[in-house]
CSV table of all heavy atoms in Angstrom, one decimal:
chain,number,residue,atom,x,y,z
A,1,MET,N,0.8,-1.2,0.0
A,1,MET,CA,0.0,0.0,0.0
A,1,MET,C,0.9,1.2,0.0
A,1,MET,O,1.8,1.3,0.8
A,1,MET,CB,-0.9,0.0,1.2
A,1,MET,CG,-1.8,1.2,1.3
A,1,MET,SD,-2.9,1.2,2.7
A,1,MET,CE,-3.7,-0.4,2.6
A,2,LYS,N,0.6,2.2,-0.9
A,2,LYS,CA,1.4,3.4,-1.0
A,2,LYS,C,1.0,4.3,0.1
A,2,LYS,O,-0.1,4.3,0.6
A,2,LYS,CB,1.1,4.0,-2.4
A,2,LYS,CG,1.9,5.2,-2.7
A,2,LYS,CD,1.5,5.7,-4.1
A,2,LYS,CE,2.4,6.9,-4.4
A,2,LYS,NZ,2.2,7.4,-5.8
A,3,LYS,N,2.0,5.2,0.5
A,3,LYS,CA,1.7,6.2,1.5
A,3,LYS,C,1.9,7.6,0.9
A,3,LYS,O,2.7,7.8,0.0
A,3,LYS,CB,2.7,6.1,2.7
A,3,LYS,CG,2.4,5.0,3.6
A,3,LYS,CD,3.3,5.1,4.8
A,3,LYS,CE,3.0,3.9,5.8
A,3,LYS,NZ,4.0,3.9,6.9
A,4,ILE,N,1.1,8.5,1.4
A,4,ILE,CA,1.3,9.9,1.1
A,4,ILE,C,1.6,10.6,2.5
A,4,ILE,O,1.4,10.0,3.5
A,4,ILE,CB,0.1,10.6,0.4
A,4,ILE,CG1,-1.2,10.5,1.3
A,4,ILE,CG2,-0.1,10.0,-1.0
A,4,ILE,CD1,-2.3,11.3,0.7
A,5,TYR,N,2.1,11.8,2.4
A,5,TYR,CA,2.5,12.4,3.6
A,5,TYR,C,1.8,13.8,3.7
A,5,TYR,O,2.0,14.7,2.9
A,5,TYR,CB,4.0,12.6,3.7
A,5,TYR,CG,4.7,11.3,3.6
A,5,TYR,CD1,5.1,10.7,2.4
A,5,TYR,CD2,5.0,10.6,4.8
A,5,TYR,CE1,5.7,9.4,2.4
A,5,TYR,CE2,5.5,9.3,4.8
A,5,TYR,CZ,5.9,8.8,3.6
A,5,TYR,OH,6.5,7.5,3.5
A,6,ALA,N,0.9,13.8,4.7
A,6,ALA,CA,0.1,15.0,4.9
A,6,ALA,C,0.8,16.0,5.8
A,6,ALA,O,1.3,15.6,6.8
A,6,ALA,CB,-1.3,14.7,5.5
A,7,VAL,N,0.8,17.2,5.4
A,7,VAL,CA,1.3,18.3,6.2
A,7,VAL,C,0.1,19.0,6.9
A,7,VAL,O,-0.8,19.4,6.2
A,7,VAL,CB,2.2,19.3,5.4
A,7,VAL,CG1,2.7,20.4,6.3
A,7,VAL,CG2,3.3,18.6,4.7
A,8,ALA,N,0.1,19.0,8.2
A,8,ALA,CA,-1.1,19.4,8.9
A,8,ALA,C,-0.8,20.3,10.1
A,8,ALA,O,0.2,20.2,10.7
A,8,ALA,CB,-1.9,18.2,9.3
A,9,THR,N,-1.8,21.1,10.4
A,9,THR,CA,-1.8,21.9,11.7
A,9,THR,C,-2.7,21.1,12.6
A,9,THR,O,-3.1,20.0,12.3
A,9,THR,CB,-2.4,23.3,11.5
A,9,THR,OG1,-3.8,23.2,11.1
A,9,THR,CG2,-1.7,24.1,10.4
A,10,GLU,N,-3.0,21.6,13.8
A,10,GLU,CA,-3.8,20.9,14.7
A,10,GLU,C,-5.2,20.7,14.2
A,10,GLU,O,-5.9,19.7,14.6
A,10,GLU,CB,-3.9,21.6,16.1
A,10,GLU,CG,-2.6,21.5,16.9
A,10,GLU,CD,-2.8,22.2,18.2
A,10,GLU,OE1,-3.9,22.3,18.8
A,10,GLU,OE2,-1.7,22.6,18.8
A,11,SER,N,-5.7,21.5,13.3
A,11,SER,CA,-7.1,21.4,12.9
A,11,SER,C,-7.3,21.2,11.4
A,11,SER,O,-8.4,20.8,11.0
A,11,SER,CB,-7.8,22.7,13.3
A,11,SER,OG,-7.2,23.8,12.7
A,12,ASP,N,-6.2,21.3,10.6
A,12,ASP,CA,-6.4,21.2,9.1
A,12,ASP,C,-5.2,20.5,8.4
A,12,ASP,O,-4.1,20.7,8.8
A,12,ASP,CB,-6.5,22.6,8.5
A,12,ASP,CG,-7.7,23.4,8.9
A,12,ASP,OD1,-8.8,22.9,8.8
A,12,ASP,OD2,-7.5,24.5,9.4
A,13,VAL,N,-5.6,19.8,7.4
A,13,VAL,CA,-4.5,19.2,6.5
A,13,VAL,C,-4.3,20.3,5.5
A,13,VAL,O,-5.2,20.8,4.8
A,13,VAL,CB,-5.0,17.9,5.8
A,13,VAL,CG1,-4.0,17.5,4.7
A,13,VAL,CG2,-5.1,16.8,6.8
A,14,VAL,N,-3.0,20.7,5.3
A,14,VAL,CA,-2.7,21.9,4.4
A,14,VAL,C,-2.4,21.4,3.0
A,14,VAL,O,-2.9,21.8,2.0
A,14,VAL,CB,-1.5,22.7,5.0
A,14,VAL,CG1,-1.1,23.8,4.1
A,14,VAL,CG2,-1.9,23.2,6.4
A,15,LEU,N,-1.4,20.4,3.0
A,15,LEU,CA,-1.0,19.8,1.7
A,15,LEU,C,-0.7,18.4,1.9
A,15,LEU,O,-0.4,17.9,3.0
A,15,LEU,CB,0.3,20.5,1.2
A,15,LEU,CG,0.1,22.0,0.6
A,15,LEU,CD1,1.5,22.5,0.3
A,15,LEU,CD2,-0.7,22.0,-0.6
A,16,ALA,N,-0.6,17.6,0.8
A,16,ALA,CA,-0.1,16.2,0.9
A,16,ALA,C,0.9,16.1,-0.2
A,16,ALA,O,0.9,16.6,-1.3
A,16,ALA,CB,-1.3,15.3,0.6
A,17,PHE,N,2.0,15.3,0.2
A,17,PHE,CA,3.1,15.1,-0.7
A,17,PHE,C,3.3,13.6,-0.9
A,17,PHE,O,3.0,12.8,0.0
A,17,PHE,CB,4.4,15.6,-0.1
A,17,PHE,CG,4.4,17.1,0.0
A,17,PHE,CD1,3.8,17.8,1.1
A,17,PHE,CD2,5.0,17.9,-1.0
A,17,PHE,CE1,3.9,19.1,1.2
A,17,PHE,CE2,5.0,19.3,-0.9
A,17,PHE,CZ,4.4,19.9,0.2
A,18,GLU,N,3.8,13.2,-2.1
A,18,GLU,CA,4.2,11.8,-2.3
A,18,GLU,C,5.5,11.5,-1.6
A,18,GLU,O,5.9,10.3,-1.4
A,18,GLU,CB,4.2,11.5,-3.8
A,18,GLU,CG,2.8,11.4,-4.4
A,18,GLU,CD,2.9,11.1,-5.9
A,18,GLU,OE1,4.0,10.8,-6.4
A,18,GLU,OE2,1.8,11.0,-6.5
A,19,SER,N,6.4,12.5,-1.4
A,19,SER,CA,7.7,12.3,-0.9
A,19,SER,C,7.8,12.8,0.5
A,19,SER,O,7.4,14.0,0.8
A,19,SER,CB,8.7,13.1,-1.8
A,19,SER,OG,9.9,13.3,-1.1
A,20,LYS,N,8.3,12.0,1.4
A,20,LYS,CA,8.4,12.4,2.8
A,20,LYS,C,9.4,13.5,3.0
A,20,LYS,O,9.1,14.5,3.7
A,20,LYS,CB,8.8,11.2,3.7
A,20,LYS,CG,8.8,11.5,5.2
A,20,LYS,CD,9.1,10.3,6.0
A,20,LYS,CE,9.1,10.7,7.5
A,20,LYS,NZ,9.3,9.5,8.3
A,21,PRO,N,10.6,13.5,2.3
A,21,PRO,CA,11.5,14.7,2.5
A,21,PRO,C,10.8,16.0,2.0
A,21,PRO,O,11.1,17.0,2.6
A,21,PRO,CB,12.7,14.3,1.6
A,21,PRO,CG,12.6,12.8,1.5
A,21,PRO,CD,11.2,12.4,1.6
A,22,ASP,N,10.0,16.0,0.9
A,22,ASP,CA,9.4,17.2,0.5
A,22,ASP,C,8.4,17.7,1.5
A,22,ASP,O,8.3,18.9,1.8
A,22,ASP,CB,8.6,16.9,-0.8
A,22,ASP,CG,9.6,16.8,-2.0
A,22,ASP,OD1,10.7,17.2,-1.9
A,22,ASP,OD2,9.1,16.3,-3.0
A,23,ALA,N,7.6,16.7,2.1
A,23,ALA,CA,6.7,17.1,3.2
A,23,ALA,C,7.4,17.7,4.4
A,23,ALA,O,6.9,18.7,5.0
A,23,ALA,CB,5.8,15.9,3.6
A,24,GLU,N,8.5,17.1,4.8
A,24,GLU,CA,9.2,17.6,5.9
A,24,GLU,C,9.8,18.9,5.7
A,24,GLU,O,9.9,19.8,6.5
A,24,GLU,CB,10.3,16.6,6.3
A,24,GLU,CG,9.7,15.3,6.9
A,24,GLU,CD,10.7,14.2,7.2
A,24,GLU,OE1,11.8,14.2,6.5
A,24,GLU,OE2,10.4,13.3,8.0
A,25,GLU,N,10.3,19.2,4.4
A,25,GLU,CA,10.9,20.5,4.1
A,25,GLU,C,9.8,21.5,4.2
A,25,GLU,O,10.0,22.6,4.7
A,25,GLU,CB,11.4,20.4,2.6
A,25,GLU,CG,12.0,21.8,2.2
A,25,GLU,CD,12.5,21.7,0.7
A,25,GLU,OE1,12.7,20.6,0.2
A,25,GLU,OE2,12.8,22.8,0.2
A,26,TYR,N,8.6,21.3,3.6
A,26,TYR,CA,7.5,22.2,3.7
A,26,TYR,C,7.1,22.5,5.1
A,26,TYR,O,6.9,23.7,5.5
A,26,TYR,CB,6.3,21.7,2.9
A,26,TYR,CG,5.2,22.7,2.9
A,26,TYR,CD1,5.1,23.7,1.9
A,26,TYR,CD2,4.2,22.7,3.8
A,26,TYR,CE1,4.1,24.7,1.9
A,26,TYR,CE2,3.1,23.6,3.8
A,26,TYR,CZ,3.1,24.6,2.8
A,26,TYR,OH,2.1,25.5,2.8
A,27,ALA,N,7.0,21.5,5.9
A,27,ALA,CA,6.6,21.6,7.3
A,27,ALA,C,7.6,22.4,8.1
A,27,ALA,O,7.3,23.2,9.0
A,27,ALA,CB,6.4,20.3,8.0
A,28,GLY,N,8.9,22.2,7.8
A,28,GLY,CA,10.0,23.0,8.4
A,28,GLY,C,10.0,24.4,8.1
A,28,GLY,O,10.5,25.2,8.9
A,29,GLU,N,9.4,24.8,7.0
A,29,GLU,CA,9.4,26.2,6.6
A,29,GLU,C,8.2,27.0,7.2
A,29,GLU,O,8.1,28.2,7.0
A,29,GLU,CB,9.3,26.3,5.1
A,29,GLU,CG,10.6,25.8,4.4
A,29,GLU,CD,10.4,25.7,2.9
A,29,GLU,OE1,9.3,25.9,2.3
A,29,GLU,OE2,11.4,25.4,2.2
A,30,HIS,N,7.3,26.2,7.8
A,30,HIS,CA,6.0,26.8,8.4
A,30,HIS,C,5.9,26.4,9.8
A,30,HIS,O,6.0,25.2,10.2
A,30,HIS,CB,4.8,26.4,7.6
A,30,HIS,CG,4.9,26.9,6.2
A,30,HIS,ND1,5.6,26.2,5.2
A,30,HIS,CD2,4.5,28.0,5.5
A,30,HIS,CE1,5.5,26.8,4.0
A,30,HIS,NE2,4.8,27.9,4.2
A,31,ASP,N,5.6,27.3,10.7
A,31,ASP,CA,5.4,27.0,12.2
A,31,ASP,C,4.2,26.2,12.4
A,31,ASP,O,3.1,26.5,11.8
A,31,ASP,CB,5.4,28.3,13.0
A,31,ASP,CG,6.7,29.1,13.0
A,31,ASP,OD1,7.7,28.4,12.8
A,31,ASP,OD2,6.7,30.3,13.2
A,32,GLY,N,4.2,25.4,13.4
A,32,GLY,CA,3.1,24.6,13.9
A,32,GLY,C,2.6,23.5,12.9
A,32,GLY,O,1.4,23.2,13.0
A,33,MET,N,3.4,23.0,12.0
A,33,MET,CA,3.0,22.0,11.1
A,33,MET,C,3.7,20.7,11.4
A,33,MET,O,4.8,20.6,11.9
A,33,MET,CB,3.3,22.4,9.7
A,33,MET,CG,2.6,23.7,9.3
A,33,MET,SD,1.9,23.4,7.7
A,33,MET,CE,0.9,24.9,7.6
A,34,ALA,N,2.9,19.6,11.2
A,34,ALA,CA,3.5,18.3,11.4
A,34,ALA,C,3.3,17.4,10.1
A,34,ALA,O,2.4,17.7,9.3
A,34,ALA,CB,2.8,17.6,12.6
A,35,VAL,N,4.1,16.4,10.0
A,35,VAL,CA,4.0,15.5,8.8
A,35,VAL,C,3.4,14.2,9.3
A,35,VAL,O,3.9,13.6,10.3
A,35,VAL,CB,5.4,15.2,8.2
A,35,VAL,CG1,5.3,14.2,7.1
A,35,VAL,CG2,6.0,16.5,7.7
A,36,LEU,N,2.3,13.8,8.7
A,36,LEU,CA,1.6,12.6,9.1
A,36,LEU,C,1.6,11.6,7.9
A,36,LEU,O,1.1,11.9,6.8
A,36,LEU,CB,0.1,12.9,9.4
A,36,LEU,CG,0.0,14.0,10.5
A,36,LEU,CD1,-1.5,14.4,10.6
A,36,LEU,CD2,0.5,13.5,11.8
A,37,PRO,N,2.1,10.4,8.1
A,37,PRO,CA,2.0,9.4,7.0
A,37,PRO,C,0.5,8.9,6.9
A,37,PRO,O,-0.1,8.6,7.9
A,37,PRO,CB,2.9,8.3,7.4
A,37,PRO,CG,3.1,8.4,8.9
A,37,PRO,CD,2.8,9.9,9.2
A,38,VAL,N,0.0,8.8,5.7
A,38,VAL,CA,-1.3,8.4,5.4
A,38,VAL,C,-1.4,7.3,4.4
A,38,VAL,O,-0.8,7.5,3.3
A,38,VAL,CB,-2.2,9.6,4.9
A,38,VAL,CG1,-3.6,9.2,4.7
A,38,VAL,CG2,-2.1,10.8,5.9
A,39,PRO,N,-2.0,6.2,4.7
A,39,PRO,CA,-2.1,5.1,3.7
A,39,PRO,C,-3.0,5.6,2.5
A,39,PRO,O,-4.0,6.2,2.7
A,39,PRO,CB,-2.7,3.9,4.4
A,39,PRO,CG,-3.1,4.4,5.7
A,39,PRO,CD,-2.6,5.8,5.9
A,40,CYS,N,-2.6,5.3,1.3
A,40,CYS,CA,-3.3,5.7,0.1
A,40,CYS,C,-3.8,4.5,-0.6
A,40,CYS,O,-3.0,3.7,-1.2
A,40,CYS,CB,-2.4,6.6,-0.8
A,40,CYS,SG,-3.3,7.2,-2.2
A,41,VAL,N,-5.1,4.2,-0.5
A,41,VAL,CA,-5.6,3.0,-1.1
A,41,VAL,C,-5.9,3.1,-2.6
A,41,VAL,O,-6.1,2.1,-3.2
A,41,VAL,CB,-6.8,2.4,-0.3
A,41,VAL,CG1,-6.5,2.1,1.1
A,41,VAL,CG2,-7.9,3.5,-0.3
A,42,GLY,N,-6.0,4.3,-3.0
A,42,GLY,CA,-6.3,4.5,-4.4
A,42,GLY,C,-6.7,5.9,-4.7
A,42,GLY,O,-6.9,6.7,-3.8
A,43,ALA,N,-6.7,6.3,-6.0
A,43,ALA,CA,-7.0,7.7,-6.3
A,43,ALA,C,-7.8,7.6,-7.6
A,43,ALA,O,-7.6,6.7,-8.4
A,43,ALA,CB,-5.7,8.5,-6.5
A,44,TYR,N,-8.6,8.6,-7.8
A,44,TYR,CA,-9.4,8.8,-9.0
A,44,TYR,C,-8.5,9.4,-10.1
A,44,TYR,O,-7.9,10.4,-9.8
A,44,TYR,CB,-10.6,9.6,-8.8
A,44,TYR,CG,-11.4,9.9,-10.1
A,44,TYR,CD1,-12.1,8.9,-10.7
A,44,TYR,CD2,-11.2,11.1,-10.8
A,44,TYR,CE1,-12.8,9.1,-11.9
A,44,TYR,CE2,-11.9,11.3,-11.9
A,44,TYR,CZ,-12.7,10.3,-12.5
A,44,TYR,OH,-13.3,10.5,-13.7
A,45,GLU,N,-8.3,8.7,-11.2
A,45,GLU,CA,-7.5,9.3,-12.3
A,45,GLU,C,-8.4,9.7,-13.4
A,45,GLU,O,-9.2,9.0,-13.9
A,45,GLU,CB,-6.5,8.3,-12.8
A,45,GLU,CG,-5.5,7.9,-11.8
A,45,GLU,CD,-4.4,7.0,-12.3
A,45,GLU,OE1,-4.3,6.9,-13.6
A,45,GLU,OE2,-3.7,6.4,-11.5
A,46,TYR,N,-8.3,11.0,-13.8
A,46,TYR,CA,-9.2,11.6,-14.8
A,46,TYR,C,-8.7,11.1,-16.2
A,46,TYR,O,-7.5,11.2,-16.5
A,46,TYR,CB,-9.2,13.1,-14.7
A,46,TYR,CG,-10.2,13.7,-15.6
A,46,TYR,CD1,-11.6,13.7,-15.2
A,46,TYR,CD2,-9.9,14.2,-16.8
A,46,TYR,CE1,-12.5,14.2,-16.1
A,46,TYR,CE2,-10.8,14.8,-17.6
A,46,TYR,CZ,-12.2,14.7,-17.3
A,46,TYR,OH,-13.1,15.3,-18.1
A,47,PRO,N,-9.6,10.5,-17.0
A,47,PRO,CA,-9.2,10.1,-18.3
A,47,PRO,C,-8.6,11.3,-19.2
A,47,PRO,O,-9.2,12.3,-19.2
A,47,PRO,CB,-10.5,9.6,-19.0
A,47,PRO,CG,-11.4,9.3,-17.8
A,47,PRO,CD,-11.0,10.3,-16.7
A,48,SER,N,-7.5,11.1,-19.8
A,48,SER,CA,-6.8,12.2,-20.5
A,48,SER,C,-7.6,12.6,-21.8
A,48,SER,O,-7.3,13.7,-22.3
A,48,SER,CB,-5.4,11.7,-20.9
A,48,SER,OG,-5.4,10.6,-21.7
A,49,GLU,N,-8.5,11.8,-22.3
A,49,GLU,CA,-9.2,12.2,-23.5
A,49,GLU,C,-10.2,13.3,-23.3
A,49,GLU,O,-10.8,13.8,-24.2
A,49,GLU,CB,-9.8,11.0,-24.2
A,49,GLU,CG,-10.9,10.4,-23.5
A,49,GLU,CD,-10.5,9.3,-22.6
A,49,GLU,OE1,-9.3,9.1,-22.3
A,49,GLU,OE2,-11.4,8.6,-22.0
A,50,HIS,N,-10.5,13.7,-22.1
A,50,HIS,CA,-11.5,14.7,-21.8
A,50,HIS,C,-10.8,15.9,-21.1
A,50,HIS,O,-9.8,15.7,-20.4
A,50,HIS,CB,-12.6,14.2,-20.8
A,50,HIS,CG,-13.4,13.1,-21.4
A,50,HIS,ND1,-14.3,13.3,-22.4
A,50,HIS,CD2,-13.3,11.7,-21.2
A,50,HIS,CE1,-14.8,12.1,-22.7
A,50,HIS,NE2,-14.2,11.2,-22.0
A,51,SER,N,-11.3,17.1,-21.2
A,51,SER,CA,-10.7,18.2,-20.6
A,51,SER,C,-11.0,18.1,-19.1
A,51,SER,O,-12.0,17.6,-18.6
A,51,SER,CB,-11.3,19.5,-21.2
A,51,SER,OG,-12.6,19.7,-20.7
A,52,ALA,N,-10.2,18.8,-18.3
A,52,ALA,CA,-10.3,18.7,-16.8
A,52,ALA,C,-11.5,19.6,-16.4
A,52,ALA,O,-11.9,19.5,-15.2
A,52,ALA,CB,-9.0,19.3,-16.2
A,53,THR,N,-12.1,20.3,-17.3
A,53,THR,CA,-13.3,21.1,-16.9
A,53,THR,C,-14.6,20.5,-17.4
A,53,THR,O,-15.7,21.1,-17.3
A,53,THR,CB,-13.2,22.5,-17.5
A,53,THR,OG1,-13.0,22.5,-18.9
A,53,THR,CG2,-12.0,23.3,-16.8
A,54,ASP,N,-14.6,19.3,-17.9
A,54,ASP,CA,-15.8,18.6,-18.3
A,54,ASP,C,-16.5,18.0,-17.1
A,54,ASP,O,-16.4,16.8,-16.8
A,54,ASP,CB,-15.4,17.5,-19.3
A,54,ASP,CG,-16.6,16.8,-20.0
A,54,ASP,OD1,-17.7,17.1,-19.5
A,54,ASP,OD2,-16.4,16.0,-20.8
A,55,TRP,N,-17.1,18.9,-16.3
A,55,TRP,CA,-17.7,18.4,-15.0
A,55,TRP,C,-18.8,17.4,-15.1
A,55,TRP,O,-18.9,16.5,-14.3
A,55,TRP,CB,-18.2,19.7,-14.2
A,55,TRP,CG,-17.1,20.6,-13.9
A,55,TRP,CD1,-16.8,21.8,-14.4
A,55,TRP,CD2,-16.0,20.3,-13.0
A,55,TRP,NE1,-15.6,22.3,-13.8
A,55,TRP,CE2,-15.1,21.4,-13.0
A,55,TRP,CE3,-15.7,19.2,-12.2
A,55,TRP,CZ2,-14.0,21.4,-12.2
A,55,TRP,CZ3,-14.5,19.2,-11.4
A,55,TRP,CH2,-13.7,20.3,-11.4
A,56,ASP,N,-19.6,17.4,-16.2
A,56,ASP,CA,-20.6,16.4,-16.4
A,56,ASP,C,-20.0,15.0,-16.5
A,56,ASP,O,-20.4,14.1,-16.0
A,56,ASP,CB,-21.5,16.7,-17.6
A,56,ASP,CG,-22.4,17.9,-17.4
A,56,ASP,OD1,-22.7,18.2,-16.3
A,56,ASP,OD2,-22.7,18.5,-18.4
A,57,HIS,N,-18.9,15.0,-17.3
A,57,HIS,CA,-18.2,13.7,-17.4
A,57,HIS,C,-17.5,13.3,-16.1
A,57,HIS,O,-17.6,12.1,-15.7
A,57,HIS,CB,-17.1,13.8,-18.5
A,57,HIS,CG,-16.3,12.5,-18.7
A,57,HIS,ND1,-16.9,11.4,-19.3
A,57,HIS,CD2,-15.1,12.1,-18.3
A,57,HIS,CE1,-16.0,10.4,-19.2
A,57,HIS,NE2,-14.9,10.8,-18.6
A,58,ILE,N,-16.9,14.2,-15.4
A,58,ILE,CA,-16.2,13.9,-14.1
A,58,ILE,C,-17.2,13.3,-13.1
A,58,ILE,O,-17.0,12.2,-12.6
A,58,ILE,CB,-15.5,15.1,-13.5
A,58,ILE,CG1,-14.3,15.5,-14.4
A,58,ILE,CG2,-15.0,14.8,-12.1
A,58,ILE,CD1,-13.7,16.9,-14.0
A,59,THR,N,-18.3,14.0,-12.9
A,59,THR,CA,-19.3,13.6,-11.9
A,59,THR,C,-20.0,12.3,-12.4
A,59,THR,O,-20.4,11.5,-11.6
A,59,THR,CB,-20.3,14.7,-11.6
A,59,THR,OG1,-21.0,15.1,-12.8
A,59,THR,CG2,-19.6,15.8,-11.0
A,60,GLY,N,-20.1,12.1,-13.7
A,60,GLY,CA,-20.8,10.9,-14.2
A,60,GLY,C,-19.9,9.6,-14.0
A,60,GLY,O,-20.4,8.5,-14.0
A,61,THR,N,-18.6,9.8,-13.9
A,61,THR,CA,-17.7,8.6,-13.8
A,61,THR,C,-17.3,8.3,-12.4
A,61,THR,O,-16.7,7.3,-12.2
A,61,THR,CB,-16.5,8.8,-14.7
A,61,THR,OG1,-15.8,10.0,-14.3
A,61,THR,CG2,-16.9,8.9,-16.2
A,62,LEU,N,-17.6,9.2,-11.5
A,62,LEU,CA,-17.2,8.9,-10.1
A,62,LEU,C,-18.0,7.8,-9.5
A,62,LEU,O,-19.2,7.8,-9.8
A,62,LEU,CB,-17.3,10.2,-9.2
A,62,LEU,CG,-16.3,11.3,-9.6
A,62,LEU,CD1,-16.7,12.6,-8.8
A,62,LEU,CD2,-14.9,10.9,-9.2
A,63,PRO,N,-17.5,7.0,-8.6
A,63,PRO,CA,-18.3,6.0,-8.0
A,63,PRO,C,-19.4,6.6,-7.1
A,63,PRO,O,-19.2,7.6,-6.5
A,63,PRO,CB,-17.3,5.2,-7.1
A,63,PRO,CG,-16.0,5.8,-7.2
A,63,PRO,CD,-16.1,7.0,-8.2
A,64,LYS,N,-20.6,6.0,-7.2
A,64,LYS,CA,-21.7,6.5,-6.4
A,64,LYS,C,-21.6,5.8,-5.0
A,64,LYS,O,-21.1,4.8,-4.8
A,64,LYS,CB,-23.0,6.0,-7.0
A,64,LYS,CG,-23.2,6.5,-8.5
A,64,LYS,CD,-23.3,8.0,-8.6
A,64,LYS,CE,-23.5,8.4,-10.0
A,64,LYS,NZ,-22.4,8.8,-10.8
A,65,GLY,N,-22.1,6.5,-4.0
A,65,GLY,CA,-22.1,6.0,-2.6
A,65,GLY,C,-22.8,4.7,-2.5
A,65,GLY,O,-23.9,4.5,-3.1
A,66,GLY,N,-22.2,3.7,-1.8
A,66,GLY,CA,-22.9,2.4,-1.5
A,66,GLY,C,-22.7,1.4,-2.6
A,66,GLY,O,-23.1,0.3,-2.6
A,67,GLU,N,-22.0,1.8,-3.7
A,67,GLU,CA,-21.8,0.8,-4.8
A,67,GLU,C,-20.4,0.1,-4.6
A,67,GLU,O,-19.5,0.6,-4.1
A,67,GLU,CB,-21.8,1.6,-6.1
A,67,GLU,CG,-23.1,2.0,-6.5
A,67,GLU,CD,-23.1,2.7,-7.9
A,67,GLU,OE1,-22.2,2.6,-8.7
A,67,GLU,OE2,-24.2,3.3,-8.2
């Protein structure tokens, strides 16, 4: 299982990185941030043959709740 590294404050996740050193560098540049390893079970990949603004297509291909 792949991990991502979330940079977070006490109340919010600010950014997520694929590289732990990148996450640690960002957190080190900002006060009050911590790096949290997060398991990544999968991600939605947008098909390249459609534009990123084709919202009808995007919402039509996302999995529905309970399926």
Side-chain angles (χ1 to χ4, degrees):
M1 181 179 305
K2 185 175 181 177
K3 284 186 183 176
I4 58 172
Y5 299 91
V7 179
T9 64
E10 286 186 25
S11 60
D12 296 305
V13 172
V14 177
L15 288 173
F17 293 86
E18 290 183 0
S19 162
K20 186 175 181 178
D22 289 343
E24 289 172 341
E25 178 182 349
Y26 183 87
E29 294 172 353
H30 299 85
D31 291 336
M33 301 227 168
V35 175
L36 307 169
V38 180
C40 184
V41 295
Y44 174 75
E45 292 185 18
Y46 189 77
S48 61
E49 68 270 8
H50 298 283
S51 75
T53 57
D54 185 356
W55 294 111
D56 290 333
H57 179 74
I58 292 171
T59 57
T61 59
L62 292 173
K64 307 292 186 262
E67 290 184 9

